[in-house]
Amino acid sequence: MEPLRLTVLISGNGSNLQALIDATTSPTSTTTNTTTPFTTTTTTTTTSNSSPPPRLQNLLKIVRVISNRKSAYGLQRASKAGIPTTYHNLIQYRKMYNTQSPGIGIGGGETSTLSRSGIDQRGGEEDVARKHYDQDLLKIILEDNPDLIICAGWMHVLSPEFLDPLKGGNEGKKGIYILNLHPARLGEFDGVDAISRAWVEASSRLKTSIRATTGTAERVQDVQDVQQHQQHRQGGVDGNKNDGKKRRRRRRRRKVIMTTAVTVHHLTEQVDGGTPVVVEEVPIYSFQKDDGGEDDGEGDGDDGDGDGDERIEPLEEFEQRMHQVEWKVIVEATEIVAREILENRLQQQQQQQ
């Protein structure tokens, strides 16, 4: 059986796309470009190599990567992998209908004034431009006859003009399945900047906890550490170096402030809604450096200032952990849905016999 055909929609760096490329596609070479008034398409010819086949190569084939941003590095990732690419530009549609960008936000121009219904609450030509854009986007995708569409960092709210013709694939057995990756649980941190918003929420919770617990320098401390320290003093024993290192490690032990998640779900008209396929929780940590003594090099982390205060992990570290989960989850969810598609087709064939 031929591999299922996969179209990937992106808007930025394309690290989630790269995870799919690594799982499905072999290295490639030459490229050619075709340009129309609203679209630039790049086609790359595949070359074979002696490396082992990727994990999902026999199950899925990425037939095209589409970006709504020309500068998206994901387009270069796709071209290097020999995958055809298309840049589909909303700005040109705005110019056609003489409408201005509503501001910085989703899709480089969407704000909270835009609902999933595709109706810009300000009304007028912006709504018409978006509908036209989505209709042409659908045409580009359908030309490749895909079995599955994945929004992997696609920062543009898709309207009913795009979704309605594909219905049946979402949570059904007909049409084309559409998946979306959301770096949170569904219903939490909907829309853009979900990762940083979760980190800010965790930081706020930590500050509230610290204020509520104590006003001393040692504001959050492991009760067992205190008890063991008191036992050593009462017994007239300072404890050996190993005991000290264990106590310091416990004081630097990371603590979960809250958990967020990475979700891959079936795309519906509700922003970041639909049935989840895979959900993996990701904790957000705080760290507390030892109040005294030298660092033994085995702690989980610290705040970097040596004052013993409890601090949330740096945003950059949390983002990196989230991305690593994204790369894993998007491949897992894609495989699950691809096998579901194949199973549904097999059942349909058996029913027809």
Side-chain angles (χ1 to χ4, degrees):
M1 181 179 293
E2 290 291 321
L4 296 177
R5 299 171 66 82
L6 170 63
T7 298
V8 183
L9 307 183
I10 66 168
S11 294
N13 181 55
S15 63
N16 293 316
L17 166 66
Q18 188 65 55
L20 292 170
I21 291 173
D22 293 342
T24 60
T25 310
S26 298
T28 57
S29 57
T30 53
T31 63
T32 57
N33 295 322
T34 303
T35 302
T36 66
F38 305 131
T39 301
T40 300
T41 298
T42 301
T43 304
T44 308
T45 305
T46 304
T47 58
S48 60
N49 62 49
S50 57
S51 301
R55 170 182 170 185
L56 303 180
Q57 185 175 25
N58 295 327
L59 182 63
L60 288 153
K61 176 183 178 181
I62 304 177
V63 295
R64 187 168 301 280
V65 172
I66 301 174
S67 174
N68 62 342
R69 293 177 178 171
K70 189 174 184 179
S71 61
Y73 183 67
L75 293 174
Q76 296 184 42
R77 295 179 187 270
S79 296
K80 290 177 181 178
I83 302 169
T85 64
T86 296
Y87 163 54
H88 190 50
N89 184 4
L90 176 59
I91 296 175
Q92 297 297 330
Y93 290 82
R94 288 189 173 127
K95 291 180 178 179
M96 180 191 302
Y97 291 97
N98 194 28
T99 179
Q100 299 296 320
S101 170
I104 302 299
I106 302 175
E110 297 186 35
T111 68
S112 58
T113 62
L114 187 73
S115 66
R116 171 65 81 184
S117 67
I119 303 299
D120 190 306
Q121 296 173 11
R122 299 169 307 131
E125 289 80 3
E126 174 69 18
D127 180 40
V128 177
R130 287 180 171 279
K131 288 181 178 180
H132 192 171
Y133 172 89
D134 282 3
Q135 289 169 344
D136 285 353
L137 174 63
L138 180 62
K139 291 177 183 177
I140 294 169
I141 291 174
L142 293 180
E143 286 177 357
D144 292 314
N145 192 29
D147 302 290
L148 176 62
I149 301 168
I150 296 181
C151 298
W154 173 251
M155 307 305 288
H156 170 84
V157 177
L158 295 167
S159 69
E161 280 66 30
F162 180 89
L163 295 172
D164 287 349
L166 302 176
K167 281 185 177 178
N170 293 323
E171 308 170 29
K173 296 184 179 180
K174 297 179 181 179
I176 300 175
Y177 287 75
I178 312 174
L179 301 181
N180 180 59
L181 185 146
H182 177 53
R185 298 181 189 88
L186 296 186
E188 296 182 0
F189 309 110
D190 294 345
V192 299
D193 300 327
I195 294 177
S196 60
R197 287 158 57 200
W199 183 86
V200 169
E201 171 67 20
S203 180
S204 176
R205 291 189 186 186
L206 178 60
K207 292 177 182 178
T208 300
S209 173
I210 290 174
R211 286 195 299 265
T213 312
T214 178
T216 65
E218 296 181 355
R219 290 173 289 198
V220 179
Q221 185 170 337
D222 191 293
V223 174
Q224 292 181 353
D225 284 345
V226 177
Q227 292 174 342
Q228 289 184 3
H229 181 62
Q230 291 174 342
Q231 289 172 1
H232 277 288
R233 293 187 63 182
Q234 291 172 358
V237 179
D238 290 330
N240 59 35
K241 293 183 179 179
N242 289 332
D243 288 339
K245 291 175 70 174
K246 289 180 180 178
R247 288 198 299 275
R248 287 196 292 271
R249 275 201 295 272
R250 278 195 292 271
R251 287 184 178 179
R252 284 195 309 277
R253 184 173 54 196
R254 61 189 181 185
K255 170 184 173 184
V256 177
I257 306 172
M258 60 174 276
T259 60
T260 182
V262 174
T263 304
V264 177
H265 61 99
H266 290 278
L267 188 67
T268 65
E269 293 183 3
Q270 178 184 356
V271 174
D272 293 325
T275 303
V277 179
V278 176
V279 181
E280 183 162 329
E281 291 192 346
V282 182
I284 305 177
Y285 295 115
S286 67
F287 296 96
Q288 184 174 14
K289 190 172 182 178
D290 180 35
D291 295 332
E294 295 182 358
D295 189 355
D296 61 20
E298 299 180 17
D300 291 308
D302 61 71
D303 59 356
D305 59 13
D307 60 3
D309 289 349
E310 185 178 10
R311 300 292 178 88
I312 191 170
E313 63 177 308
L315 175 58
E316 294 77 11
E317 292 182 9
F318 171 58
E319 286 179 330
Q320 182 62 25
R321 289 195 297 108
M322 284 288 289
H323 292 325
Q324 290 173 347
V325 174
E326 288 175 350
W327 304 334
K328 170 177 172 284
V329 165
I330 198 168
V331 173
E332 290 178 353
T334 301
E335 181 174 9
I336 289 171
V337 173
R339 296 195 184 282
E340 180 182 342
I341 293 171
L342 292 176
E343 182 179 351
N344 290 339
R345 289 185 180 178
L346 179 59
Q347 293 177 354
Q348 291 174 359
Q349 291 175 359
Q350 292 174 345
Q351 292 172 359
Q352 293 173 357
Q353 291 178 354

